[in-house]
């Protein structure tokens, strides 16, 4: 067996195989080809000694905004992924059917990192999200474009993984659940999952959840009051437990306004972990409070979520949400993506979207990225 790359002697943590072991990983032809001790290099093999580091499947950030230049909220995907150890950035509704072609041609196709997308049901996606101009794209019903969304989703099934809609007073004004109901029709028609954003009511958390189908994703699930999943006595709401029982997936989507330590503490105290942890990185939160994916993951680790579950929430669980089993795993035959992490000990200051600070005792740091079986970052 000839390998293009061997990562030597890292602590491999891969929740998809319940693996936590110091071992080598060999990559060839863009894929993981073997995990085991003492893999043999030949003249063409790049060998990296990663002893002392944690190696995980390439991290998936299930909620990002990377339509850089095409939308005001977009950040540069490659720059973000270098900092974050992310190999798959999932853009959630930056583009709608009216401007998806540009996203595909100018951003997704030239990108060294994998970009997958939820297509917004609103015609031009999230088109007016900036410091000075803020217009909810789901507020104006005339912008909702179910016919166009079906056409574009069907024509781009290699990169479009689902349908996105944003509902809440900020994103949809007084339209309530109408944009959500239209987006669900599109998702049904194309046979894809839906990702629903929620902000302030209307609609209520419960009204959104009761509409979601098994496999659909609620993002901003641990947002601050109002529209929270726990009651004031610290009990997880019945509607939340029912939704999880029937297969609705709970995603973090930190962002600028959508993650509160208080909510997270209430949920974690009940043993209710998010299915996926994502940054919702965009232009207005990339310099805080979200920063990047490893910072978002660190917050959960500091709040007591076990490391194996934190890693699952950004690898295999995200792959399940995307219905892309070849991602988020280091099983032989999976895509050759891996992330090299370290965990620093010390005192670290974290902040949520309402300004609460948390003094954490650890910090997850991205030390390197492998994409499609090649060492990608850092260069030397
Ligand atoms: Zn978002």
């Amino acid at each position: 067996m000839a390998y293009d790359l061997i990562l030597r002697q890292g602590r491999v943590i891969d929740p998809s195989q319940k693996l936590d072991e110091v071992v080598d990983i060999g990559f060839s032809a863009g894929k993981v080809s073997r995990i085991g001790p003492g893999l043999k290099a030949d003249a063409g093999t790049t060998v990296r000694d990663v002893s002392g580091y944690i190696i995980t499947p390439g991290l998936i950030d299930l909620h990002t905004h990377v339509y850089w230049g095409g939308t005001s909220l977009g950040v540069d995907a490659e720059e973000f992924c270098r900092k974050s150890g992310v190999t798959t950035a999932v853009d959630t509704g930056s583009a709608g059917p009216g401007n998806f072609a540009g996203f595909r041609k100018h951003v997704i196709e030239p990108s060294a990192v994998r970009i997958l997308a939820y297509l917004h049901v609103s015609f031009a996606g999230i088109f007016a999200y900036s410091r000075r101009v803020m217009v909810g794209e789901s507020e104006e019903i005339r912008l909702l474009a179910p016919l166009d969304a079906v056409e574009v989703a069907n024509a781009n099934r290699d990169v479009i993984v689902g349908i996105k809609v944003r509902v809440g007073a900020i994103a949809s004004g007084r339209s309530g659940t109408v944009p959500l109901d239209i987006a669900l029709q599109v998702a049904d028609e194309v046979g894809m999952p839906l990702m629903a954003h929620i902000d302030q009511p209307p609609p209520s958390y419960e009204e959104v959840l009761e509409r979601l189908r098994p496999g659909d994703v609620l993002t901003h699930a641990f947002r601050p009051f109002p529209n929270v999943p726990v009651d004031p006595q610290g009990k997880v709401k019945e509607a939340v437990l029912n939704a999880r029982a029937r297969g609705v997936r709970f995603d973090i989507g930190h962002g600028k306004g959508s993650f509160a330590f208080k909510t997270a503490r209430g949920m974690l105290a009940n043993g209710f972990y998010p299915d996926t942890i994502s940054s919702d990185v965009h232009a207005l939160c990339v310099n805080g409070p979200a920063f990047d994916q490893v910072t978002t993951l660190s917050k959960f680790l500091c709040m007591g979520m076990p490391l194996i579950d934190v890693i699952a929430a950004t690898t295999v669980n995200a792959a399940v949400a995307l219905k892309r089993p070849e991602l988020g795993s280091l099983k032989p035959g999976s895509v050759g993506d891996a992330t090299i992490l370290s965990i620093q000990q010390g005192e670290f200051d974290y902040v949520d979207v309402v300004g609460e600070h948390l003094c954490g005792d650890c910090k997850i740091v991205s030390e390197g990225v492998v994409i499609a079986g090649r060492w990608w970052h850092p260069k030397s």
Side-chain angles (χ1 to χ4, degrees):
M1 173 68 77
Y3 302 107
D4 300 320
L5 172 68
I6 294 175
L7 299 180
R8 193 75 88 200
Q9 289 285 302
R11 177 185 169 195
V12 178
I13 301 182
D14 179 2
S16 80
Q17 331 181 46
K18 300 197 174 17
L19 186 70
D20 183 351
E21 199 179 317
V22 173
V23 76
D24 295 350
I25 309 174
F27 300 85
S28 51
K31 295 186 171 167
V32 179
S33 57
R34 184 179 288 213
I35 297 192
L39 299 187
K40 292 214 168 28
D42 64 18
T45 309
T46 303
V47 178
R48 291 265 175 170
D49 178 1
V50 290
S51 52
Y53 294 106
I54 292 168
I55 315 304
T56 67
L59 303 188
I60 302 167
D61 191 337
L62 193 71
H63 188 152
T64 69
H65 293 282
V66 294
Y67 191 177
W68 185 90
T71 54
S72 54
L73 84 165
V75 299
D76 183 277
E78 291 182 11
E79 203 177 295
F80 167 71
C81 288
R82 277 184 211 108
K83 272 200 305 196
S84 268
V86 169
T87 58
T88 301
V90 184
D91 185 278
T92 58
S94 298
N99 56 353
F100 186 80
F103 185 30
R104 175 169 189 130
K105 181 168 178 178
H106 301 303
V107 176
I108 296 176
E109 288 178 357
S111 173
V113 297
R114 293 173 204 283
I115 300 175
L116 297 171
Y118 287 84
L119 180 73
H120 210 305
V121 70
S122 189
F123 191 65
I126 304 171
F127 65 89
Y129 192 104
S130 76
R131 258 175 238 291
R132 286 187 289 268
V133 176
M134 188 67 81
V135 180
E137 75 288 346
S138 301
E139 185 166 352
E140 172 55 79
I141 302 286
R142 286 182 302 167
L143 286 172
L144 301 180
L147 283 167
D148 302 81
V150 166
E151 275 176 21
V152 171
N154 276 331
N156 294 276
R157 284 183 170 268
D158 54 336
V159 292
I160 292 180
V161 293
I163 302 300
K164 176 80 187 289
V165 69
R166 297 202 312 144
V167 287
I170 298 166
S172 59
R174 295 180 186 178
S175 302
T177 58
V178 171
L180 173 58
D181 292 334
I182 293 173
L184 277 165
Q185 287 200 27
V186 174
D188 268 338
E189 180 67 18
V190 297
M192 289 180 182
L194 178 87
M195 179 187 274
H197 148 122
I198 184 167
D199 57 70
Q200 296 171 23
S204 71
Y205 204 103
E206 290 85 342
E207 284 175 301
V208 174
L209 272 186
E210 74 192 14
R211 284 170 166 77
L212 297 184
R213 311 159 305 165
D216 288 343
V217 178
L218 178 73
T219 192
H220 310 320
F222 289 11
R223 51 164 284 104
F225 181 86
N227 265 350
V228 287
V230 272
D231 70 19
Q233 286 71 46
K235 234 177 118 231
V236 179
K237 290 178 178 171
E238 205 59 39
V240 173
L241 298 173
N242 291 341
R244 169 159 277 184
R246 60 168 211 281
V248 173
R249 307 185 66 83
F250 291 78
D251 176 55
I252 291 305
H254 188 304
K256 178 170 82 77
S258 309
F259 174 75
F261 289 131
K262 184 181 174 194
T263 308
R265 275 195 301 271
M267 296 301 276
L268 297 183
N270 284 280
F272 194 112
Y273 296 156
D275 293 292
T276 47
I277 300 173
S278 61
S279 68
D280 186 17
V281 70
H282 56 67
L284 303 193
C285 69
V286 69
N287 295 315
F291 295 103
D292 54 40
Q293 178 70 340
V294 277
T295 302
T296 310
L297 299 174
S298 298
K299 290 175 180 176
F300 280 87
L301 192 60
C302 289
M303 282 189 295
M305 189 165 159
L307 178 63
I308 186 96
D309 295 312
V310 170
I311 292 172
T314 183
T315 56
V316 62
N317 293 2
V320 168
L322 297 167
K323 301 190 172 171
R324 297 282 175 121
E326 72 278 18
L327 299 173
S329 173
L330 290 168
K331 283 183 192 149
S334 303
V335 301
D337 293 2
T339 302
I340 293 84
L341 301 170
S342 63
I343 300 182
Q344 298 179 356
Q345 307 293 328
E347 281 189 8
F348 303 95
D349 179 52
Y350 296 101
V351 64
D352 69 5
V353 306
V354 294
E356 182 184 336
H357 286 260
L358 170 84
C359 180
D361 60 2
C362 60
K363 184 178 172 64
I364 302 173
V365 177
S366 168
E367 305 280 1
V369 180
V370 172
I371 295 178
R374 303 275 173 188
W375 187 271
W376 179 66
H377 178 76
K379 283 276 174 271
S380 58

